Amino acid sequence: VNCSEIAESAPLYRSGELDPARAAAFARHLATCSECAGEMRRQAQLDDLLRSGILADRVNSAAVDRGVRERIRLELEAAPHVARASGRPRWRVAAIASLAASLLIVVGGRHLSRPRSVYADAAADHRSEVVNEHWRPWFTDPSAIASLSEANGVAPRFILALAPPGYHLARAKRCALDGRPFLHLVYSNGAQEFSAYLRPRDSRTLAGLSTAGSSAQSDSLAYTVDFGAEHLGCVETPGMTAMIVTDESSDAASKLARFAGAALASSTANF
Amino acid sequence: MVGQAVGLFPHFMKRIHEAQKRQDNFEFVALPHSSSLLRVARRLSLDPVLAEDLVQETLLLAWRGFDGFRTGTNMRAWLFRILFNVFHGHGRRQQSRPVLVPMPVGLELELRAPDGALIDAMAVARALDTLSEEHRGVLLLAVVEGFTCREVAAILSVPIGTVMSRLNRARQALRSAVEPNCRQDDLPAVRSGERRMEKQAS
């Protein structure tokens, strides 16, 4: 057995699928080849980390289970009537079946029309209010913005820290995205403007994932979402949730999000 | 009319009883797997809302095919096979969804989980999100869910040799995503996976 054969059959060795003779040859090679043995050890460590990292992400399947039970119940209610022979009283069957069908449509409709995402709302809001400049009652006075920000649970130091070099906070207002209140801030460098949507972190991530009671609550996330002409850079720290929206580029969104992440982290650390 | 209805009654009750038994059976053997299905669906789709839909769809299809399911066969592997089929079918139907492009959580972005012990594992878990769909799939099945190569091959409907080489490439890709000093240029197989991701994102 040579080293490349070892590397090739490593997945089978790991899962215990090699036959005894080949497994013994594999083990003999590992005993004599420190390079392959080290490689196997490093991969095993990485596997362990991956497994514990993924399993640390606690999932709650209660809603899925409930949904499945409900759909099964509805299918069962509709099912016995399908196989019914002719000449039997049908009207009741039809009534029940159509009731079941309408329930299915209602449930199915709710199931299929997923909630509008917070990302789509943020992109549309930025497009309408900042790019197309539809008139909105903005706050522009710094002290008014500071008290608006405080009233929304966002410490004013955060909104100042979010301005990258060359940019200043131009205006602010309160808005709702996907049914949740956000503080909408617009930063400008004279030529370019971008939006920042801020809210204190709660038990749901932006994507709607519940983190209540799980370790994910104390975790930080940073990612970008491209949404048509709008580019979102999202940062979720243990204390704050921020979406930066720019119509410039995905790269710009990523840079702004990194800056915001660093700003939020250091503002938290300093106070 | 009344007589007919009364005559039907025992038959009707028997059917209800059988259906109830079938449902109880299904709930007993299938629903315990919903958490691991959901965990994998989330990492596969990178979209928690979509993941719930995928798992619900998977379990419903499993319920409809439950009569064809022979006891003694691997229920867990069967469910995962359905999940992957549903996921791939979904990808073809919905091209217009916004693409979540996770950023490998940067060291330049000094954000850290307070629990020091977890940080490495969390970083590895996040690195998984940056890999191609194919690589995420095999790693989730083989490493996280502990399926054998033979089972993974059955779940993904590919030859076992493909599973082995895909697993090797996925492990390399994961390692180079975790260890930034291990350059991706050294791994041609990984690069082709990335191109696929870019294509999906555009």
Side-chain angles (χ1 to χ4, degrees), chain A residues 61-83:
Chain A
S61 63
V64 171
D65 292 351
R66 245 194 335 271
V68 170
R69 286 200 179 95
E70 180 65 11
R71 302 262 307 260
I72 288 178
R73 197 179 62 75
L74 291 169
E75 289 201 4
L76 281 177
E77 277 178 8
H81 319 301
V82 178

Side-chain angles (χ1 to χ4, degrees), chain A residues 126-182:
Chain A
H126 175 78
R127 165 81 17 198
S128 142
E129 296 180 359
V130 179
V131 181
N132 296 334
E133 297 179 336
H134 287 157
W135 187 85
R136 289 288 185 281
W138 291 101
F139 288 90
T140 50
D141 175 58
S143 65
I145 294 179
S147 47
L148 174 76
S149 148
E150 246 158 350
N152 283 281
V154 178
R157 65 173 185 277
F158 283 127
I159 61 177
L160 296 176
L162 276 183
Y167 279 82
H168 67 277
L169 176 59
R171 53 195 189 275
K173 68 177 188 59
R174 198 173 177 275
C175 73
L177 305 174
D178 194 25
R180 287 193 273 177
F182 280 82

Side-chain angles (χ1 to χ4, degrees), chain B residues 81-128:
Chain B
R81 191 185 152 102
I82 301 175
L83 174 69
F84 274 76
N85 284 338
V86 168
F87 174 64
H88 289 129
H90 198 277
R92 273 193 294 277
R93 275 203 309 277
Q94 265 188 303
Q95 299 291 350
S96 59
R97 282 182 66 77
V99 184
L100 260 180
V101 189
M103 301 196 293
V105 166
L107 304 166
E108 11 176 351
L109 230 181
E110 300 228 286
L111 303 176
R112 303 203 175 258
D115 180 359
L118 262 182
I119 182 78
D120 282 340
M122 294 304 236
V124 176
R126 281 195 214 97
L128 178 82

Side-chain angles (χ1 to χ4, degrees), chain A residues 17 47 65 75 219 258, chain B residues 34 64 108 126 149 171:
Chain A
E17 288 174 282
D47 281 5
D65 292 351
E75 289 201 4
D219 198 16
R258 276 159 208 261
Chain B
S34 57
R64 288 181 193 146
E108 11 176 351
R126 281 195 214 97
C149 295
R171 281 195 166 104

Side-chain angles (χ1 to χ4, degrees), chain B residues 39 55 57 61 71 76 87 89 100 103 114 179 187 199:
Chain B
R39 185 179 288 120
V55 174
E57 185 71 19
L61 287 173
T71 39
R76 231 164 76 79
F87 174 64
L100 260 180
M103 301 196 293
E179 300 166 10
L187 307 164
K199 219 164 71 191

